[in-house]
Amino acid sequence: MRKRVAVIFVLLVFLALIIVYFFAKSRNPHIQGVFLDGYLIGETDTIITINNHHYISYDLLTENSLLDTYFDRNDSTIYIYQDYQRFTVVLDEKNSAVVQIDDNGGFYISTNYLVGKLEDSYSLSAEGLSVFIERDYSKIVNEKAIWLYDSPRSVFGRREKIKPNSVIVQYKTDGDWILVRIGNRVGLVKNQYLNTLETINEKGILQSENSKQVIMAWDFFTRQPTTFVEGLIYPSLNVVSPTWHAIDKETRQYEDWHMREYMAYYSNNNIAVWPAFSNSFDPALTSKILNNASSRKDLIDQIIGISKRNGYRGINIDFENIYLEDKEVFAVFIRDLYLESRKENIIMSVDVTVLSSSPTWSLFYDRETIGRYSDYVMLMAYDERTRPEHGIGPIASLPWVETGIVGLMDYVPAHKIVLGLPFYTRLWETIHTNGNITYDVTAFKLPSADAFIEANGFVITYDEAAGQNYGEVQIDNIKYQIWIEDETSLKNRLDLVHRYGLSGIAVWALDYSKTEMWQVINDNL
């Protein structure tokens, strides 16, 4: 009797297993949607099909960083950037590239239109009701029939048998299992009976490579020059960037303080001239210009027009003090300006600050976009402290500078980074008056700082933490403190240029110089 019960129990268990197996087999044999290298990133609602033609959600593409793009809502225009080209889609136009499906701005882009326009040159294919976006994959073939699984090491994970000599797309190998696609089905196969037919490595976005080591100095002009006076030609200096072009706040036109004699003088001494174009550091003016497609284009046309007219072979973009909410549109401006600069064979450098939590000083820079759409990125590694409320200390301590370099390298390749150096310092004053303490600060060019230190008998020591010499003196009720910018601090920063493989240095500013500093640069670079 017990044996009979046992047999019945075994049969019932076996029957239950068969039911479970066929229930599992009766489910949807494969998941559908948008796949990125074999992984589902979008459900079926991220695809719409019209007349057997697929459209993918724009939001899905941007959320997964698959498009280098900007949507100008003011003009209902999509800009897509790839391979240093800009593609424009206007939503108001009736075309097959885009479909808008609701009043909330949701829209879908044609897979046909997207071919060749995705980031990193991803390939794109539509199979059935799914879309597959792929890069760095292999095509393999199976010698024998094998099973496609949706989960490893389980008979219930089997989906279907793959016939011999089927072409399979291989994504990722994990031990005995391979993530693959066959047709419009994604799953796992065992790593056996397989041969590689072809390995495909899609090319990434172009990155301009510059072999020129930049040793630059900004030449600070506060007004339009009327006469030209020849300056010293410092050893190793190979680029000067005169601040000739700021936006007039009334006309929104660039001032042009260009001097032919200046250009000829430096050119004759084998020094390139890359004049600086600023936004006048006016956030409201900048916002008005950047947020209007027409005025943004006009500003770019002005920069290119002035550069061609004056024979500039390089330019420096010095936009500072911008609202954080204008970060995206400033990045669009940089992209579009760089595309035009490339057409004219004009080298373009862009200034950025050290990463910080300040919205208008640091966070508005899209450093990744700037790194891709420029030839050089000038890291303005100074002004760590500018006012007493920031705390008394150096304006560019060595650890702060190094942190700035490392932070920027998360977004910009080292061969594009040029380290900005201060040829000025600040004198801090702590004033005791009738039991009260007040503070003052004065900026000094290097020769002026040296003269003040010598005239007032400063006691000089080395500040190990800051990586530079420090001076202090008490005169009557005032304590003077200064972190000295000299050959010692300069040498320490040049060591960082070598350590991180940066592309050179940029000095603020040319007429703040002293010859000893340029000799250190010449000896070390």
Side-chain angles (χ1 to χ4, degrees), residues 459-471:
V459 177
I460 307 299
T461 57
Y462 182 68
D463 184 340
E464 187 75 36
Q468 60 191 118
N469 290 318
Y470 164 76

Side-chain angles (χ1 to χ4, degrees), residues 393-398 422-428 444-454 457-463 466-472 480-493 514 517:
I395 61 168
S397 65
L398 193 64
F423 270 16
Y424 67 96
T425 187
R426 287 189 169 88
L427 176 71
W428 305 91
F444 275 139
K445 301 176 183 180
L446 296 191
S448 301
D450 288 348
F452 190 87
I453 290 168
E454 184 177 357
F458 276 67
V459 177
I460 307 299
T461 57
Y462 182 68
D463 184 340
Q468 60 191 118
N469 290 318
Y470 164 76
E472 179 181 312
Y480 294 95
Q481 295 172 274
I482 190 167
W483 278 261
I484 305 166
E485 294 298 333
D486 58 11
E487 295 90 325
T488 299
S489 61
L490 176 59
K491 176 64 168 60
N492 286 339
R493 295 194 192 114
K514 59 181 185 180
M517 299 289 272

Side-chain angles (χ1 to χ4, degrees), residues 47-55 111-112 126-129:
I47 306 172
I48 59 175
T49 305
I50 301 174
N51 297 326
N52 296 320
H53 184 68
H54 295 78
Y55 294 78
T111 55
N112 284 351
E127 299 278 353
L129 297 178

Side-chain angles (χ1 to χ4, degrees), residues 1 8 16 42 69 89 167 246 253 255 257 278 316 400 416 460 502:
M1 184 69 175
I8 292 171
T69 183
V89 180
V167 176
Q253 298 295 301
E255 298 168 331
W257 296 352
S278 85
N316 176 246
W400 181 80
K416 283 192 175 187
I460 307 299
L502 307 186

Side-chain angles (χ1 to χ4, degrees), residues 91-348:
L91 267 62
D92 292 342
E93 294 179 355
K94 292 184 179 180
N95 57 56
S96 59
V98 64
V99 174
Q100 192 162 0
I101 63 164
D102 58 49
D103 295 332
N104 297 322
F107 53 90
Y108 288 62
I109 300 184
S110 159
T111 55
N112 284 351
Y113 182 77
L114 288 171
V115 171
K117 299 182 180 68
L118 293 181
E119 277 286 79
D120 297 319
S121 296
Y122 276 102
S123 67
L124 186 150
S125 61
E127 299 278 353
L129 297 178
S130 293
V131 173
F132 299 93
I133 301 169
E134 298 160 336
R135 184 189 68 172
D136 298 337
Y137 57 94
S138 297
K139 291 182 179 179
I140 58 177
V141 64
N142 54 315
E143 297 175 347
K144 298 181 180 180
I146 58 175
W147 281 96
L148 180 70
Y149 291 76
D150 63 3
S151 61
R153 302 176 182 88
S154 170
V155 68
F156 300 118
R158 287 182 174 179
R159 281 289 133 243
E160 63 180 275
K161 185 169 283 189
I162 304 173
K163 295 178 181 179
N165 300 314
S166 297
V167 176
I168 304 168
V169 174
Q170 171 187 326
Y171 298 116
K172 182 180 177 182
T173 303
D174 183 11
D176 294 333
W177 295 90
I178 301 174
L179 180 65
V180 301
R181 172 174 68 85
I182 178 164
N184 64 342
R185 286 100 64 205
V186 173
L188 298 165
V189 298
K190 289 185 178 179
N191 192 0
Q192 57 184 0
Y193 312 126
L194 303 172
N195 292 316
T196 300
L197 293 177
E198 181 182 11
T199 298
I200 299 169
N201 302 107
E202 301 293 349
K203 68 174 184 177
I205 189 168
L206 292 176
Q207 291 281 7
S208 60
E209 298 275 348
N210 291 284
S211 58
K212 178 185 177 69
Q213 183 183 57
V214 174
I215 301 177
M216 188 182 93
W218 285 283
D219 197 357
F220 186 37
F221 286 78
T222 58
R223 62 179 62 86
Q224 185 168 7
T226 55
T227 57
F228 172 65
V229 178
E230 294 182 354
L232 291 175
I233 299 298
Y234 294 108
S236 75
L237 176 68
N238 62 14
V239 180
V240 290
S241 180
T243 59
W244 283 341
H245 307 292
I247 304 172
D248 184 278
K249 297 181 181 182
E250 298 299 325
T251 66
R252 296 188 183 181
Q253 298 295 301
Y254 265 111
E255 298 168 331
D256 187 357
W257 296 352
H258 160 261
M259 296 183 70
R260 289 183 181 178
E261 300 90 340
Y262 185 103
M263 296 281 294
Y265 174 68
Y266 283 106
S267 178
N268 291 338
N269 284 280
N270 296 316
I271 296 173
V273 182
W274 298 353
F277 289 81
S278 85
N279 62 329
S280 298
F281 308 152
D282 184 326
L285 173 66
T286 305
S287 186
K288 290 177 183 177
I289 293 174
L290 295 184
N291 280 287
N292 180 281
S294 177
S295 59
R296 193 168 63 237
K297 181 180 183 302
D298 178 67
L299 199 67
I300 291 171
D301 289 345
Q302 288 185 55
I303 294 172
I304 298 301
I306 290 171
S307 299
K308 291 173 65 177
R309 183 170 67 246
N310 295 340
Y312 301 160
R313 300 320 311 159
I315 55 176
N316 176 246
I317 305 304
D318 186 19
F319 276 47
E320 303 179 41
N321 197 26
I322 294 177
Y323 298 135
L324 180 57
E325 53 265 34
D326 292 329
K327 178 176 182 174
E328 276 194 88
V329 74
F330 176 55
V332 171
F333 168 78
I334 291 294
R335 288 185 187 98
D336 290 346
L337 177 57
Y338 188 56
L339 298 188
E340 295 304 314
S341 297
R342 282 177 62 88
K343 290 177 186 176
E344 302 299 334
N345 198 30
I346 296 171
I347 294 171
M348 178 171 136

Side-chain angles (χ1 to χ4, degrees), residues 398-449:
L398 193 64
W400 181 80
V401 172
E402 184 168 13
T403 299
I405 293 170
V406 173
L408 185 57
M409 286 174 62
D410 287 340
Y411 305 95
V412 180
H415 72 265
K416 283 192 175 187
I417 298 175
V418 175
L419 180 61
L421 304 172
F423 270 16
Y424 67 96
T425 187
R426 287 189 169 88
L427 176 71
W428 305 91
E429 301 174 32
T430 304
I431 307 164
H432 296 262
T433 307
N434 299 325
N436 296 319
I437 299 177
T438 56
Y439 302 91
D440 200 1
V441 60
T442 304
F444 275 139
K445 301 176 183 180
L446 296 191
S448 301

Side-chain angles (χ1 to χ4, degrees), residues 26-57:
S26 68
R27 292 178 299 165
N28 187 357
H30 58 275
I31 300 171
Q32 297 173 333
V34 179
F35 290 81
L36 177 60
D37 283 335
Y39 293 96
L40 185 72
I41 61 171
E43 304 288 347
T44 52
D45 61 354
T46 60
I47 306 172
I48 59 175
T49 305
I50 301 174
N51 297 326
N52 296 320
H53 184 68
H54 295 78
Y55 294 78
I56 304 180
S57 164

